């Protein structure tokens, strides 16, 4: 086949591209609408991903294989305490290497600049127990043994005021001092976090004692099957105590925030609405273009163009619109992700898989609009048009 013949039979997009470029205003409207829909989809999927990651941030920062938690607890930061004797009982089981308590509560933090009160999450632990996967904490263990001292999360929201070593303020009506800082992204419920010793935790929560455990963290011995230990623990623990391995605990958190809080439903509806907006706009742009050029398509039909070839041209216009709209929409989403992360420290980030997913859905949606519009071309009769 010669180069000339190859060019003659090639079914590439130049015709579709020229049709779109002849009306710059219509093209701009279509690209802008698709960009808006794409950015909205990215935004909702980003928030969904942020919720899924944010739901497990507390567990991500803890070192455990199995967790004991009150059956009345809907999620990890809302945990009624349970008696410590059950943790001792679990620690005596064969295969369990260590059983460590963790104490959680929400305290009232006073902003030293504005004097406003804001709730933050308080984590308490025994300095001998390496329960935290936060290396910045351990150089300050001796400082935390002093009365009314704490470590402040440097990623706590600005509403908590200055986060400086040596700063003294009020937490739960006690004078406290920041002796160090650590880095931990905020959870969904907690936009500020402090870490204290178990002794200082009890001082901040007068109604609690060290026998009231929020989470029981278990480490199993090397080579021991975690699932077997979990099943044995479930047999001996009372109904008031739930036993989960690490993956089960994290899945439970995600399920709570996605289903029980209706966030999954709201985000799902928003994604569907964004797709509908994109589909309708692309349909309007292509429908206007096809209607305006109906006599041109009829002419092509009269000189021998098949319905499949004409259908291909319309779908190609839709695909070009999708590709042109996706790029600015993706860039806009990156900017929004960065702004959300900086302001909230929720783990909202772009991923390659999400980009491919949204790009594929954008192409699919726009192609569907193109197929709907193409019906006008397929039923057009050259004799009627002329």
């Amino acid at each position: 086949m010669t180069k000339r013949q190859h060019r003659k039979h090639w079914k590439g997009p130049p015709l579709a591209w020229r049709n779109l470029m002849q009306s710059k205003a219509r093209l701009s409207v279509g690209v802008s609408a698709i960009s808006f829909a794409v950015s909205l989809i990215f935004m909702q999927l980003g928030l969904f991903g942020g919720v899924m990651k944010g739901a497990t941030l507390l567990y991500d920062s803890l070192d455990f294989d199995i967790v004991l938690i009150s059956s009345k607890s809907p999620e990890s930061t809302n945990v009624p305490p349970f008696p410590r004797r059950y943790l001792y009982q679990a620690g005596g089981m064969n295969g369990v290497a260590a059983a460590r308590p963790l104490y959680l509560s929400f305290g009232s933090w006073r902003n030293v600049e504005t004097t406003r009160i804001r709730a933050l999450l308080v984590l308490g632990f025994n300095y001998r127990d390496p329960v935290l996967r936060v290396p910045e904490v351990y150089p300050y263990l001796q400082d935390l043994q002093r009365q009314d001292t704490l470590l402040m999360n440097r990623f706590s929201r600005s509403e908590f005021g200055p986060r400086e070593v040596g700063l003294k303020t009020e937490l739960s009506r006690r004078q406290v001092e920041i002796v160090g800082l650590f880095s931990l992204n905020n959870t969904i419920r907690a936009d500020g976090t402090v870490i204290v010793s178990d002794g200082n935790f009890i001082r901040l929560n007068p109604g609690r004692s060290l026998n009231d455990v929020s989470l029981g963290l278990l480490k199993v011995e090397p080579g021991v099957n975690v699932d077997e230990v979990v099943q044995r623990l479930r047999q001996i623990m009372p109904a008031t105590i739930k036993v989960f391995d690490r993956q089960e605990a994290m899945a439970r958190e995600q399920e709570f925030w996605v289903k029980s809080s209706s966030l999954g439903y709201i985000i799902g509806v928003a994604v569907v609405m964004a797709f509908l907006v994109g589909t309708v706009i692309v349909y309007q742009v292509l429908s206007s273009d096809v209607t305006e050029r109906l006599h041109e398509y009829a002419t092509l039909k009269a000189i021998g163009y098949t319905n499949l070839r004409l259908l291909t041209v319309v779908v190609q216009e839709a695909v070009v619109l999708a590709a042109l709209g996706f790029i600015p929409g993706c860039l806009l989403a990156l900017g929004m992700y960065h702004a959300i992360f900086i302001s909230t420290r929720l783990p909202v980030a772009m991923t390659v898989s999400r980009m491919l997913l949204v790009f594929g859905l954008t192409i699919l949606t726009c192609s569907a609009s193109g197929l709907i519009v193409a019906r006008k071309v397929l039923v057009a009769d050259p004799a009627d048009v002329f």
Side-chain angles (χ1 to χ4, degrees):
M1 180 181 288
T2 65
K3 184 176 181 181
R4 189 178 208 177
Q5 289 174 321
H6 178 76
R7 187 183 300 122
K8 180 180 179 180
H9 295 286
W10 184 62
K11 299 179 181 180
L15 179 57
W17 175 256
R18 290 176 182 177
N19 285 347
L20 290 173
M21 291 302 295
Q22 279 191 356
S23 177
K24 300 289 196 306
R26 186 184 299 139
L27 177 63
S28 298
V29 170
V31 170
S32 299
I34 294 172
S35 298
F36 172 75
V38 166
S39 64
L40 184 57
I41 294 168
F42 269 125
M43 187 71 173
Q44 299 306 318
L45 293 178
L47 289 175
F48 182 78
V51 168
M52 295 293 281
K53 287 186 177 180
T56 62
L57 280 176
L58 178 59
Y59 283 140
D60 288 338
S61 66
L62 300 177
D63 185 21
F64 69 96
D65 297 314
I66 301 171
V67 62
L68 306 183
I69 189 170
S70 169
S71 60
K72 297 180 181 180
S73 171
E75 48 89 20
S76 59
T77 58
N78 183 5
V79 279
F82 64 88
R84 190 170 180 171
R85 66 176 181 273
Y86 295 121
L87 183 59
Y88 290 144
Q89 184 179 1
M93 177 170 288
N94 291 334
V96 176
R100 300 156 179 161
L102 184 72
Y103 305 92
L104 289 85
S105 70
F106 277 87
S108 301
W109 180 270
R110 181 180 294 277
N111 185 327
V112 295
E113 294 181 338
T114 65
T115 70
R116 291 184 177 180
I117 302 296
R118 189 178 180 90
L120 51 60
L121 181 64
V122 181
L123 301 179
F125 75 109
N126 188 306
Y127 74 98
R128 298 185 183 88
D129 295 333
V131 298
L132 296 171
R133 289 180 169 178
V134 186
E136 294 170 286
V137 170
Y138 294 101
Y140 298 101
L141 291 181
Q142 293 301 320
D143 294 321
L144 287 177
Q145 296 315 298
R146 293 176 12 223
Q147 184 170 319
D148 298 326
T149 57
L150 54 82
L151 303 180
M152 182 76 175
N153 184 3
R154 58 169 52 89
F155 292 154
S156 299
R157 287 179 62 90
S158 58
E159 288 84 350
F160 291 99
R163 286 145 287 179
E164 303 171 354
V165 175
L167 184 142
K168 296 182 179 181
T169 185
E170 186 178 290
L171 175 59
S172 298
R173 299 184 179 182
R174 289 188 67 90
Q175 292 295 316
V176 294
E177 178 186 356
I178 299 176
V179 294
L181 302 175
F182 67 95
S183 301
L184 184 67
N185 286 332
N186 296 322
T187 65
I188 298 175
R189 283 191 68 209
D191 50 14
T193 313
V194 296
I195 293 175
V196 299
S197 66
D198 52 0
N200 280 327
F201 182 89
I202 299 306
R203 295 185 183 96
L204 293 169
N205 298 271
R208 296 278 297 272
S209 77
L210 294 180
N211 291 322
D212 299 324
V213 177
S214 300
L215 296 177
L217 306 178
L218 307 180
K219 291 288 291 183
V220 301
E221 296 175 354
V224 173
N225 188 301
V226 175
D227 293 335
E228 292 181 1
V229 177
V230 168
Q231 294 304 321
R232 282 186 282 140
L233 284 170
R234 286 173 177 169
Q235 293 175 1
I236 66 172
M237 287 292 116
T240 56
I241 305 295
K242 295 295 183 182
V243 183
F244 302 107
D245 64 31
R246 189 176 192 88
Q247 294 303 318
E248 289 174 334
M250 298 173 78
R252 179 175 179 263
E253 293 293 299
Q254 293 174 337
E255 182 179 9
F256 171 80
W257 287 108
V258 171
K259 294 183 178 180
S260 301
S261 66
S262 299
L263 281 175
Y265 174 78
I266 294 171
I267 291 174
V269 170
V271 170
V272 172
M273 292 302 297
F275 274 117
L276 290 177
V277 168
T279 302
V280 170
I281 295 298
V282 172
Y283 174 83
Q284 293 292 340
V285 171
L286 293 178
S287 179
S288 176
D289 180 78
V290 167
T291 301
E292 184 179 307
R293 302 177 186 282
L294 197 57
H295 64 286
E296 298 176 11
Y297 285 109
T299 301
L300 292 174
K301 231 178 185 184
I303 64 176
Y305 273 62
T306 63
N307 282 337
L308 179 60
R309 179 69 185 278
L310 297 177
L311 176 66
T312 302
V313 172
V314 177
V315 173
Q316 284 175 346
E317 289 189 36
V319 172
V320 170
L321 280 174
L324 292 177
F326 176 81
I327 296 173
C330 184
L331 294 176
L332 180 60
L334 285 171
M336 292 189 296
Y337 281 7
H338 182 70
I340 292 174
F341 179 74
I342 292 299
S343 60
T344 66
R345 304 307 301 190
L346 279 176
V348 179
M350 183 66 74
T351 62
V352 174
S353 59
R354 186 178 301 153
M355 290 176 64
L356 294 175
L357 172 64
V358 175
F359 181 70
L361 291 176
T362 304
I363 295 293
L364 182 63
T365 301
C366 293
S367 298
S369 298
L371 290 173
I372 296 172
V373 171
R375 292 182 305 172
K376 294 183 179 181
V377 175
L378 299 181
V379 300
D381 189 335
D384 293 339
V385 172
F386 291 110

